[in-house]
């Protein structure tokens, strides 16, 4: 355990929650992906494929961590897991939040051309994604990182005058 804490630069036991949540999220993703390939086959086959996918995703995640650790300004390695969790939760949450808003606004495939519907759907989802990214980042203790991330993204989209 001491070696694990040292590897991820964990100073307090509560920071282990990010490591545990990251592993659970990775395992769940691997299981869901294996379920796409093996729909109604045996549970044993599904679990075996899940384990293979888990290790492939784990190796990919560690590779991405190495690349982004140099690019992003984070103090500790465990913060990388926290940031990845925020991105994952925000992506799912923005879709979850956007659907009722779109219904409330009366936007549906019946009253709009398909292209217009999807453009509005993506635009509304993008707006809520930006808001949720900062809010969920704050909950995970990464407000400063995500606020700077937002400012950089919005300035690249041409909203630089609003960021000053």
């Amino acid at each position: 355990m001491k070696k694990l804490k040292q590897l991820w630069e964990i100073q307090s036991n509560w920071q282990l929650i990010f490591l545990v949540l990251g592993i659970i999220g990775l395992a769940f993703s691997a299981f869901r992906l294996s379920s796409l390939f093996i729909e109604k086959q045996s549970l044993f086959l599904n679990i075996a494929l899940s384990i293979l996918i888990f290790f492939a995703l784990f190796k990919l995640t560690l590779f991405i961590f190495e690349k982004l650790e140099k690019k992003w300004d984070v103090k500790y390695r465990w913060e990388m897991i926290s940031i990845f969790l925020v991105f994952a939760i925000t992506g799912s949450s923005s879709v979850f939040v956007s659907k009722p808003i779109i219904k409330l606004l009366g936007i549906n495939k019946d009253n709009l051309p398909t292209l217009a519907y999807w453009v509005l759907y993506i635009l509304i989802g993008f707006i809520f994604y930006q808001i949720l990214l900062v809010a969920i980042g704050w909950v995970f203790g990464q407000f400063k990182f995500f606020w700077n991330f937002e400012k950089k993204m919005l300035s690249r989209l041409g909203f630089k005058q609003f960021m000053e």
Side-chain angles (χ1 to χ4, degrees):
M1 184 62 114
K2 188 175 183 179
K3 189 176 178 182
L4 183 71
K5 284 182 172 182
Q6 195 172 27
L7 177 68
W8 288 99
E9 300 172 341
I10 295 174
Q11 288 80 35
S12 301
N13 286 337
W14 67 268
Q15 295 164 343
L16 286 169
I17 191 72
F18 296 114
L19 196 60
V20 170
L21 287 174
I23 290 170
I24 289 171
L26 209 56
F28 179 73
S29 297
F31 182 75
R32 293 293 299 211
L33 283 171
S34 71
S35 296
L36 292 175
F37 296 115
I38 304 173
E39 290 182 22
K40 296 187 179 176
Q41 303 291 329
S42 71
L43 182 62
F44 175 75
L45 194 57
N46 198 341
I47 291 172
L49 184 58
S50 295
I51 292 169
L52 290 173
I53 292 172
F54 174 83
F55 283 110
L57 288 175
F58 185 71
K59 287 289 190 183
L60 177 65
T61 303
L62 290 178
F63 174 76
I64 292 169
F65 273 18
E66 282 182 31
K67 298 295 179 188
L68 291 177
E69 190 175 29
K70 296 170 188 164
K71 185 177 180 179
W72 290 346
D73 185 29
V74 292
K75 195 170 183 180
Y76 303 108
R77 293 190 82 207
W78 63 266
E79 290 180 303
M80 293 291 291
I81 300 170
S82 174
I83 291 168
F84 271 57
L85 287 169
V86 171
F87 279 123
I89 292 168
T90 303
S92 303
S93 301
S94 66
V95 172
F96 183 74
V97 169
S98 297
K99 281 185 180 182
I101 301 295
I102 287 172
K103 282 185 180 180
L104 184 68
L105 294 173
I107 299 171
N108 59 46
K109 292 178 187 176
D110 297 333
N111 63 3
L112 286 173
T114 305
L115 181 63
Y117 170 79
W118 284 109
V119 167
L120 286 172
Y121 187 86
I122 291 169
L123 182 66
I124 291 170
F126 180 74
I127 291 167
F128 281 101
Y129 181 83
Q130 304 310 311
I131 296 166
L132 289 171
L133 192 62
V134 175
I136 295 172
W138 175 77
V139 170
F140 277 75
Q142 297 297 326
F143 176 80
K144 182 180 176 187
F145 174 84
F146 285 103
W147 181 244
N148 290 333
F149 185 86
E150 279 300 313
K151 288 191 292 188
K152 185 189 281 186
M153 184 188 319
L154 291 174
S155 70
R156 287 181 180 167
L157 293 173
F159 295 106
K160 193 171 188 170
Q161 66 273 17
F162 298 114
M163 297 292 105
E164 296 173 357

